[in-house]
Amino acid sequence: MQVEVRLAALDQRYTRGRRALVEVLGDTDRPLTIPEILEAANRSLPGGHRLPQSSAYRSLTALAEAGVVRRLAGNDDLGRFELAEDLSGHHHHHLVCTSCGLVADVPASPRLERALSEAGRVAAEETGFEVNDHRIDLVGRCATCR
Amino acid sequence: MQVEVRLAALDQRYTRGRRALVEVLGDTDRPLTIPEILEAANRSLPGGHRLPQSSAYRSLTALAEAGVVRRLAGNDDLGRFELAEDLSGHHHHHLVCTSCGLVADVPASPRLERALSEAGRVAAEETGFEVNDHRIDLVGRCATCR
DNA sequence: ATTTATGCAAATCGTTTGCAAACCT
DNA sequence: AGGTTTGCAAACGATTTGCATAAAT
């Protein structure tokens, strides 16, 4: 719905492959790597239809430009993607495991958000930056790796 | 000093090339990309001696393992490095310009740090993660790009 | 003397791209 | 039909690695 509109604004179509990608990202609670996305998409795709990597990359780039998905700053060497927050409805940050590379979502706390927006204001004042987004990673070891 | 000790702990030597790298990173107030590091190192290196990329990568990897430098999560496609915070003495976060890719340091505010450590505690409790570091990027447009 | 680091060139690996065929409206 | 997306294979570019030589202890 929203997705189709956003793509249309850039003369882009909402095709079967792209639907599969958006569904996969909509069904998870953490950012996925390309291999993970491909595996999940191929599992949910009809018949023997396999989505090639190149198409996934291209489609995800298109979806990112349309503001449907977001490409994360690489914590390891694999790119990760998640649904845009205004579509998933959850403002969140990430827990990053230094041992296995896992990235998990963690809900943002109001207190943290307040402190953050103040920090943004201060930074803007002192440096001339115009801050309009932020990114927080809590880094450590996941339950499995501890 | 500290640097030599940390390297020695891993049976690593503090050579001229590595000194040049550490000096370069010690002389700047923002994380540098490999090309930037090479340019600066070569400027400060004696005679016609040029530091090859591969050596820079290898040495920076060694320095990172020794906890002397830190490799940043790639905001764009270039890796960035900075001196470890316990050597530079400044706990800071980053301003990232989405337009030109600039990454600038910004001092951490006590309020933000407090909110952050609370968030870490909550996350630990709810997910079993052991949080021992964090990473904050304020994303926007720098003064030049606005 | 030994062990570790360096230079160079070649290899890797994630990601991007050219082009012709398939798809959507 | 007319423009867009897909698949495949080839191209890219940042980072890594093998190996012989130089440097450090």
Side-chain angles (χ1 to χ4, degrees):
Chain A
M1 255 315 68
Q2 270 289 36
V3 175
E4 188 157 8
V5 173
R6 294 191 192 186
L7 283 169
L10 278 71
D11 293 311
Q12 302 264 345
R13 294 166 186 173
Y14 196 24
T15 60
R16 176 167 31 148
R18 294 177 178 188
R19 279 201 171 76
L21 292 171
V22 171
E23 261 169 48
V24 166
L25 292 178
D27 274 348
T28 184
D29 61 347
R30 63 184 180 83
L32 299 183
T33 63
I34 288 278
E36 289 171 336
I37 292 173
L38 283 175
E39 194 197 322
N42 286 328
R43 211 181 304 117
S44 78
L45 233 43
H49 194 184
R50 304 206 98 240
L51 187 58
Q53 293 215 39
S54 64
S55 298
Y57 275 111
R58 235 180 321 218
S59 294
L60 286 167
T61 301
L63 288 165
E65 279 167 2
V68 174
V69 307
R70 180 211 274 230
R71 175 185 232 126
L72 271 67
N75 300 295
D76 43 14
D77 43 1
L78 266 358
R80 290 184 183 257
F81 291 84
E82 64 184 7
L83 210 53
E85 289 197 329
D86 60 346
L87 288 176
S88 67
H90 305 78
H91 180 43
H92 64 272
H93 300 132
H94 295 126
L95 289 168
V96 178
C97 178
T98 51
S99 174
C100 68
L102 176 76
V103 180
D105 286 359
V106 58
S109 88
R111 181 178 168 193
L112 185 53
E113 293 305 305
R114 278 196 303 276
L116 215 38
S117 76
E118 182 191 300
R121 251 191 330 275
V122 172
E125 213 170 278
E126 294 183 354
T127 66
F129 244 84
E130 164 189 296
V131 176
N132 39 47
D133 194 8
H134 60 251
R135 191 153 65 204
I136 300 188
D137 295 339
L138 299 175
V139 181
R141 300 169 72 89
C142 72
T144 309
C145 290
R146 292 181 69 168
Chain B
M1 248 326 55
Q2 270 287 37
V3 174
E4 188 157 7
V5 174
R6 295 191 192 185
L7 283 169
L10 278 70
D11 294 311
Q12 302 264 345
R13 294 165 187 175
Y14 196 25
T15 60
R16 174 164 34 146
R18 294 177 177 189
R19 279 201 170 76
L21 292 170
V22 171
E23 262 169 48
V24 166
L25 292 178
D27 273 349
T28 183
D29 61 347
R30 63 183 180 83
L32 299 182
T33 63
I34 289 278
E36 288 171 336
I37 291 173
L38 282 175
E39 193 197 321
N42 286 329
R43 210 180 306 116
S44 78
L45 233 40
H49 194 184
R50 305 207 96 239
L51 188 59
Q53 292 215 39
S54 64
S55 297
Y57 275 111
R58 231 175 329 213
S59 294
L60 287 167
T61 301
L63 289 165
E65 279 167 2
V68 174
V69 307
R70 180 212 274 230
R71 173 186 233 128
L72 273 68
N75 300 293
D76 43 13
D77 43 2
L78 265 358
R80 289 183 184 258
F81 292 84
E82 64 183 7
L83 209 53
E85 289 197 328
D86 60 346
L87 288 177
S88 69
H90 305 78
H91 180 42
H92 64 273
H93 299 133
H94 295 125
L95 290 167
V96 178
C97 178
T98 51
S99 174
C100 68
L102 176 75
V103 180
D105 286 0
V106 59
S109 89
R111 181 178 169 193
L112 185 52
E113 293 304 307
R114 278 196 303 275
L116 217 37
S117 75
E118 183 192 300
R121 253 192 326 276
V122 172
E125 212 170 279
E126 293 183 354
T127 65
F129 244 84
E130 164 188 296
V131 176
N132 39 46
D133 194 9
H134 60 251
R135 190 151 66 203
I136 300 188
D137 296 338
L138 300 174
V139 182
R141 300 169 71 88
C142 72
T144 309
C145 289
R146 292 182 68 168

